[in-house]
Amino acid sequence: MTLHKDVMLDFARDARTGLDEAVMCASKSVPHLSAILEQVQEKGRRILLTRLLPEQLDGLSDSHRFAIDYEPLSRTGYFGGTHELKAKTQVAVVAAGTSDVAVAREAARTLRFYGEPAVEINDVGVAGLWRLLERLEEIRSARVVIAVAGMDAALPTVIGGLVSSTVIGVPTSVGYGVATGGETALRAMLASCSSGLVVTNIDNGFGAACAALRILRAR
Amino acid sequence: MTLHKDVMLDFARDARTGLDEAVMCASKSVPHLSAILEQVQEKGRRILLTRLLPEQLDGLSDSHRFAIDYEPLSRTGYFGGTHELKAKTQVAVVAAGTSDVAVAREAARTLRFYGEPAVEINDVGVAGLWRLLERLEEIRSARVVIAVAGMDAALPTVIGGLVSSTVIGVPTSVGYGVATGGETALRAMLASCSSGLVVTNIDNGFGAACAALRILRAR
Amino acid sequence: MTLHKDVMLDFARDARTGLDEAVMCASKSVPHLSAILEQVQEKGRRILLTRLLPEQLDGLSDSHRFAIDYEPLSRTGYFGGTHELKAKTQVAVVAAGTSDVAVAREAARTLRFYGEPAVEINDVGVAGLWRLLERLEEIRSARVVIAVAGMDAALPTVIGGLVSSTVIGVPTSVGYGVATGGETALRAMLASCSSGLVVTNIDNGFGAACAALRILRAR
Amino acid sequence: MTLHKDVMLDFARDARTGLDEAVMCASKSVPHLSAILEQVQEKGRRILLTRLLPEQLDGLSDSHRFAIDYEPLSRTGYFGGTHELKAKTQVAVVAAGTSDVAVAREAARTLRFYGEPAVEINDVGVAGLWRLLERLEEIRSARVVIAVAGMDAALPTVIGGLVSSTVIGVPTSVGYGVATGGETALRAMLASCSSGLVVTNIDNGFGAACAALRILRAR
Amino acid sequence: MTLHKDVMLDFARDARTGLDEAVMCASKSVPHLSAILEQVQEKGRRILLTRLLPEQLDGLSDSHRFAIDYEPLSRTGYFGGTHELKAKTQVAVVAAGTSDVAVAREAARTLRFYGEPAVEINDVGVAGLWRLLERLEEIRSARVVIAVAGMDAALPTVIGGLVSSTVIGVPTSVGYGVATGGETALRAMLASCSSGLVVTNIDNGFGAACAALRILRAR
Amino acid sequence: MTLHKDVMLDFARDARTGLDEAVMCASKSVPHLSAILEQVQEKGRRILLTRLLPEQLDGLSDSHRFAIDYEPLSRTGYFGGTHELKAKTQVAVVAAGTSDVAVAREAARTLRFYGEPAVEINDVGVAGLWRLLERLEEIRSARVVIAVAGMDAALPTVIGGLVSSTVIGVPTSVGYGVATGGETALRAMLASCSSGLVVTNIDNGFGAACAALRILRAR
Amino acid sequence: MTLHKDVMLDFARDARTGLDEAVMCASKSVPHLSAILEQVQEKGRRILLTRLLPEQLDGLSDSHRFAIDYEPLSRTGYFGGTHELKAKTQVAVVAAGTSDVAVAREAARTLRFYGEPAVEINDVGVAGLWRLLERLEEIRSARVVIAVAGMDAALPTVIGGLVSSTVIGVPTSVGYGVATGGETALRAMLASCSSGLVVTNIDNGFGAACAALRILRAR
Amino acid sequence: MTLHKDVMLDFARDARTGLDEAVMCASKSVPHLSAILEQVQEKGRRILLTRLLPEQLDGLSDSHRFAIDYEPLSRTGYFGGTHELKAKTQVAVVAAGTSDVAVAREAARTLRFYGEPAVEINDVGVAGLWRLLERLEEIRSARVVIAVAGMDAALPTVIGGLVSSTVIGVPTSVGYGVATGGETALRAMLASCSSGLVVTNIDNGFGAACAALRILRAR
């Protein structure tokens, strides 16, 4: 079965999606995280840490902790540096409310890690339509728009009707009552009457950024 | 216990909400409907028939059938005439898509039965924002706005942020997949980030009209 | 694009719904809240703080904390004073059980902030029907009734059949088992057989008050 | 293992709950139903047929069809006669709306089959409270009250607060939107704030009658 | 309107269900509970406290705390004594697993408060059928059986097929995965193929006891 | 990349699960089914047809239709014969109610197609416990028990506690109200307190038979 | 307010998403559809008709019917021709099972209407992994992959791990039991552990194609 | 009724499923656990402790605590030793992600307790297909495969198509958004297009091991 193994390696090389330098920390123990960082360091690689809780960060050794470029709102960390920043900004990350900014920031930080600059536009929920319209030109100039919204999640629908570029909706778990957990926002985005809107899991700013990277990296 | 009975009658008089001249036909048999119409006719009253299916209408006697002013899209009928039409239009009934018009029409027909004229504005879903903005002045001039929408149901949220009058959201069961049955539209409206939006049951154009009547009739 | 900007400002002026002097505090950090209060203070404005947790209040600077008129049951605070109180009481806020009073109080406090006095009637759940009937005259005299109830949420239905004025149902998250989270109360209100009942999100006393304000302020 | 078999027979005798002379027809084929009736006839027994659709009835042989005492609203049939009717009426079957009567009738017909007379009280939904209060004395005089209601299902809660006897709530699948299928009615009854209310499956008039029979037959 | 008031008092007297000497403590503050106890003491009444958490108990004044006969598993307390114990045991409270005993005990304690003795039978889940069958005679001798079970909740169905007396199913929130929160247990009981089984809300041992009391107290 | 292709063929040979001679007909058009049968015939193979509706069967050519060994209750057909029947019966297919027999029969027919004889035991739901206990020895003698049940689905739990062999639960969509669609039966089985019970999708008699075949065929 | 109107027209021009030449026919009446076609014809435009049922097609006038290039599996029609076909194939539309092909075809037909050629790859569900791997090179060569799957919907996850291009998952409503309606497929795709997968509403082949068009048309 | 009792004992002997030496600790109090251990010790038996939280372990007496062979990841403990280990490894426990290992380990530890060795294969989720294919031979050599996966839970489907042995899917509660609680993973496994896959409750590694034991122990 040595044949098999070779094929596997071959797969591994081919299959590289280019998005595998990230680890989601939320459900991992501190020793587990330390081991991962150790391994990354040894191999001279870099890694994006998502959902890294402050208490996890505090539990790490000083040398690891200080080596992490941590952003508390998005709970993301860079370890071993980031990819070189590209010159051209092709992504707009738009957040409906102030409570959606954490998820939007996770998207922006993920893009930054992989070298894609992104413009962040916050507090443009459709209940205050004029604030959105004021920023429309900026949004239109992006090749990919990541629209982050909780509650009724009408933002991506409205943007989808105003721009011809790709719109990725990211529902957030912000809110109470029927909005709890983000299920309503998710379903409203999926049911959107704007043609060609695509959607990620709730609070998945990282995933939206990866989707944008897949789009931008295409040959 | 004669005392009790008197109190009851007293209640009945007081409690009259003024919205009791309507009957929902959907789950009633044709003989049952005939009996109701007979009774209304005998007492010289009038009645609003909602969710009256064409096959139910066809099953009625000729004299009943011809006496009903039937509107097929909304499936509403007037029997015994309507209340006198008021001069001033105070309600706007706004529908997001062409599929939402049947529910919007039920609201408008209910209002008309009770004497309230309403302006109907259709096909102004937020995926085509400019169509909504073109009609904004008309919408703003109403004292009560009934906003009917299915799918993502973003219309009432956007309107709620643009007008200071009462906005009643009516979710519709239009759509497929996650939109099926109107649950997503309902929850998106309830989760709305527009302050003071109120909501009715799915497809309940009649209920929204009754709410508008309660508001307009207040001393 | 200067044209655009002007239009936007124009929108902003027109669009003012008159309900924008409120901020929901629950998911905001203390520094974020401090910054908001600072800004309000600088502009000489006032603001209604909803869902302000005691621990958030404690985290504020003394000068901010003492400047807030805080009511712990409803978790609401007034900062910078309130609108002038109107003479005539036009709203009744009715709560089914003692556990519903927190939400009812949020409605009453919101109304008070915007200058509308409201009568509060508590502990009149329909399992003890006579207690409700004793207060019926008071409820009937209101132009808008906000009916707050959890569990089976039958209160707004019963009131809706006894009064001709506007009834806004507010479901609460009170209860256990099938009542957990308020979904049952919400759905029971939406399914109500009282014509013209309208409903808000679960625990949304603030929203119900805003809806009442939209009704009362209409020309 | 012959011992086992004897024990089984013993069980069968003891375990007889006295409610086993009924068959639910809905999902059975006409030949299957014919075979059951044949068997009942041969043994000289009687049987209660529930959810017997008109098209099933029409498919039976003339001799079977004419031998069935069929009631179309409840879709129940008696085959081989009924138990002797008791003198004293101890059950009240109360229905909120006209659409709930079919389920209420199933309960009443089941009780009648087993010899228990029941008073039927219809159209006393709580949105028209005075109609309920007019019939209160009759309801109070029953040892068991079966309260049948769809939509918001507030009827059993209100009755539960007004009587000290047993109240069995039967939710119905009447209604549209959030009321569709009866889930809302079911949950509202289970969440009821009236102490000691018990509930059956949706549309289960037969089950409520059986519960009443268990109560009334107790030594 | 003095007439009204008299009628109300009259209602209050008549309507007494005999189950109103209980208060659910879970969501109440300690000062609120103290005030209730004070009032009960002043009037020389007694009260059943349900869902009284240890931390709530600890927060009460010494005189109140020592006057409460507290049972920690069921979290119930008697204040001001109990009703006189009847001689005859007519209720069996049966629990499927050891984790269901807390809810079963709440039922037994409620019955005891109102003077009804009950036999408690634990750990007779149907996965170990023989343990249930060993206790069958005891269960059969009861006029009312309260069957408490979580997870698959098959216990009431099996008992319902073996006894002719009243069976009240109480689903519990015991379990993980699909059993979380008790919804599965509740629905399995409602869908039971045992005729005449009635059901309460999840974890509602108190409600089941009240239902038993309604049955046993009937004239 | 010819290497790849070879590996694929290799996979295909190895991966054969031995369960691939079946086709689910429900959502396929008659021409599509005809084409499949044609292909099977040409290759001299046999195939198991599941969920083959009578109207689909009627639409086939005479030569195809007559070549199918069709069983209407289970809606299964054999085309091109079956595998040779083994001598030893190692599977018991047990159905709770008469409405569950169609699904049980699909399991038995699938087993028969693949050469495994199965004993079918029907109408042994746990509401009539003694009927189940009478058949216990037969059930115990099987190496795999497929337990088919709808509604409360307690049957597999009770069997799982009485036998040491493998028990595969198959929930059915039988029932109304909360039982509609089989979701309650499914969840009750998954939540079962009998250790080591495994479960398939709702109404999936075919899948349960395939699981039994995987178990029985193991080396 | 003439200013407003101009701005609106301006919006319309700018906002053109380039995807507005499509109409969903499912819930529209034949006269309504006729009117739309008439209008399109008059303006010398073309239109894509989606979810056009055969019975709707049959109801149209001969001249309309014959002018529609109809594909029955996808229920799509071209009226007034299509956009010019591009030379380069940049999209792969991949379907897991034969029942998913209708939705996949809707995507391919939408792409074709707008001039984008697409390769269709069917019957490559992950339960037969080798069939997928055989087609891997073709899939990898596409810039956008539309992966259509029902039931467990594992296809997009597996593809997402094997290619670096954009993967759009389209869940289908294929299946029974827990798969009914496509909700499980939708949620499985959203929960995917493949980074950067994006998802559309259930059965929304049209939407996925529009998303691909947004991506491909970007400057 | 002494006869009864004898039968019961007889049942108990026969019914022994051989899986009853386990206790789930999660919802039990420390005194309760101590009492169980005491009893086991007195009888000279052994017991498997599942879901034993560290804080529960810490609460036990030293003699009990030190006598428990505790594994923290799976939260399992052996008390009184284990069954003798068999020579032949017949089970593979396969986990998709690192977060699924805790549940997989519970399965492996349960198997070990009952004397069955198992190979553990981790981190072979289908988003990195080649890692799974590298371990395929090992997986194929097992008679029973326990496949543990959360999120999209595609692992058991892919394995089910590659091996002919028994595959038991165990969904885990790993993940966020739509993956929260494991419901999506559960449903995706039940909807699997791999024939003959069987499934347990969410996170039920113990149950999967018991199912494997039932299979392996069959005569």
Side-chain angles (χ1 to χ4, degrees), chain B residues 101-143:
Chain B
V101 175
V103 174
R105 183 68 48 80
E106 188 188 73
R109 288 269 296 175
T110 299
L111 289 163
R112 175 63 198 82
F113 177 77
Y114 286 110
E116 288 288 343
V119 58
E120 291 184 59
I121 297 171
N122 297 332
D123 213 17
V124 290
V126 299
L129 196 60
W130 54 96
R131 289 197 303 267
L132 173 63
L133 296 180
E134 277 183 331
R135 308 296 296 272
L136 189 54
E137 289 313 300
E138 275 172 280
I139 296 171
R140 270 199 185 139
S141 67
R143 201 169 134 202

Side-chain angles (χ1 to χ4, degrees), chain C residues 148-211:
Chain C
V148 183
M151 301 172 83
D152 52 49
L155 181 65
T157 290
V158 171
I159 291 177
L162 295 172
V163 310
S164 62
S165 48
T166 300
V167 182
I168 302 169
V170 185
T172 67
S173 56
V174 164
Y176 62 94
V178 299
T180 307
E183 190 72 22
T184 293
L186 170 66
R187 300 177 87 78
M189 286 187 187
L190 286 164
S192 174
C193 37
S194 277
S195 304
L197 188 66
V198 287
V199 182
T200 69
N201 193 1
I202 297 158
D203 290 337
N204 194 2
F206 168 73
C210 289

Side-chain angles (χ1 to χ4, degrees), chain H residues 131-200:
Chain H
R131 288 197 303 265
L132 173 63
L133 295 180
E134 277 183 332
R135 308 295 297 270
L136 189 54
E137 289 314 298
E138 274 172 280
I139 296 171
R140 269 197 186 142
S141 66
R143 199 168 138 204
V144 177
V145 180
I146 295 174
V148 183
M151 300 172 84
D152 52 50
L155 181 65
T157 290
V158 172
I159 290 177
L162 294 172
V163 310
S164 62
S165 48
T166 301
V167 182
I168 302 169
V170 185
T172 67
S173 56
V174 164
Y176 62 92
V178 299
T180 308
E183 191 72 22
T184 293
L186 170 67
R187 299 177 87 78
M189 286 186 187
L190 287 163
S192 174
C193 37
S194 278
S195 303
L197 188 66
V198 287
V199 183
T200 69

Side-chain angles (χ1 to χ4, degrees), chain F residues 11 14-17 19 133 136 140 142-143 160-168 183 186-187 190-191 195-196 198-201 206-207 210-211 214-215 218-219, chain H residues 11 14-17 19 133 136 140 142-143 160-168 183 186-187 190-191 195-196 198-201 206-207 210-211 214-215 218-219:
Chain F
F11 264 125
D14 279 0
R16 185 143 315 165
T17 61
L19 300 169
L133 296 181
L136 189 54
R140 270 198 186 141
R143 201 168 135 203
L162 295 173
V163 310
S164 62
S165 47
T166 301
V167 182
I168 302 170
E183 190 73 22
L186 170 67
R187 300 176 87 76
L190 287 164
S195 303
V198 287
V199 183
T200 69
N201 193 0
F206 168 74
C210 288
R214 285 178 182 261
I215 292 167
R219 288 126 303 179
Chain H
F11 263 126
D14 279 0
R16 185 146 314 169
T17 60
L19 300 168
L133 295 180
L136 189 54
R140 269 197 186 142
R143 199 168 138 204
L162 294 172
V163 310
S164 62
S165 48
T166 301
V167 182
I168 302 169
E183 191 72 22
L186 170 67
R187 299 177 87 78
L190 287 163
S195 303
V198 287
V199 183
T200 69
N201 193 2
F206 168 73
C210 288
R214 284 178 182 261
I215 291 167
R219 286 126 303 181

Side-chain angles (χ1 to χ4, degrees), chain D residues 11 27 29 42 45 53 58 60 108 111 117 150 172 198 205 213-214:
Chain D
F11 264 127
S27 62
S29 66
E42 272 166 27
R45 302 289 293 270
L53 306 176
D58 289 350
L60 295 174
L111 288 164
T172 67
V198 286
L213 288 162
R214 285 178 182 260

Side-chain angles (χ1 to χ4, degrees), chain A residues 7 10-11 14, chain F residues 1-8, chain G residues 133-134 136-137 140:
Chain A
V7 175
D10 189 55
F11 264 126
D14 279 1
Chain F
M1 289 304 297
T2 48
L3 175 65
H4 244 135
K5 199 161 171 187
D6 289 355
V7 174
M8 293 314 118
Chain G
L133 296 180
E134 278 183 331
L136 190 53
E137 290 313 300
R140 270 198 186 140

Side-chain angles (χ1 to χ4, degrees), chain B residues 160 163 165 183 187 195 199 214, chain C residues 160 165 183 187 195 199 214:
Chain B
V163 309
S165 48
E183 191 73 22
R187 299 177 86 77
S195 303
V199 183
R214 284 179 182 259
Chain C
S165 48
E183 190 72 22
R187 300 177 87 78
S195 304
V199 182
R214 284 178 182 261

Side-chain angles (χ1 to χ4, degrees), chain E residues 108-161:
Chain E
R109 288 269 296 175
T110 299
L111 288 164
R112 175 65 198 81
F113 177 76
Y114 285 109
E116 288 289 343
V119 58
E120 290 183 61
I121 298 173
N122 296 333
D123 213 17
V124 290
V126 299
L129 195 60
W130 55 97
R131 288 197 302 266
L132 173 63
L133 296 180
E134 277 184 331
R135 308 296 295 272
L136 190 54
E137 289 314 299
E138 276 172 279
I139 297 171
R140 269 197 187 141
S141 66
R143 201 168 137 203
V144 177
V145 180
I146 295 175
V148 183
M151 302 172 81
D152 52 49
L155 181 66
T157 291
V158 172
I159 291 177

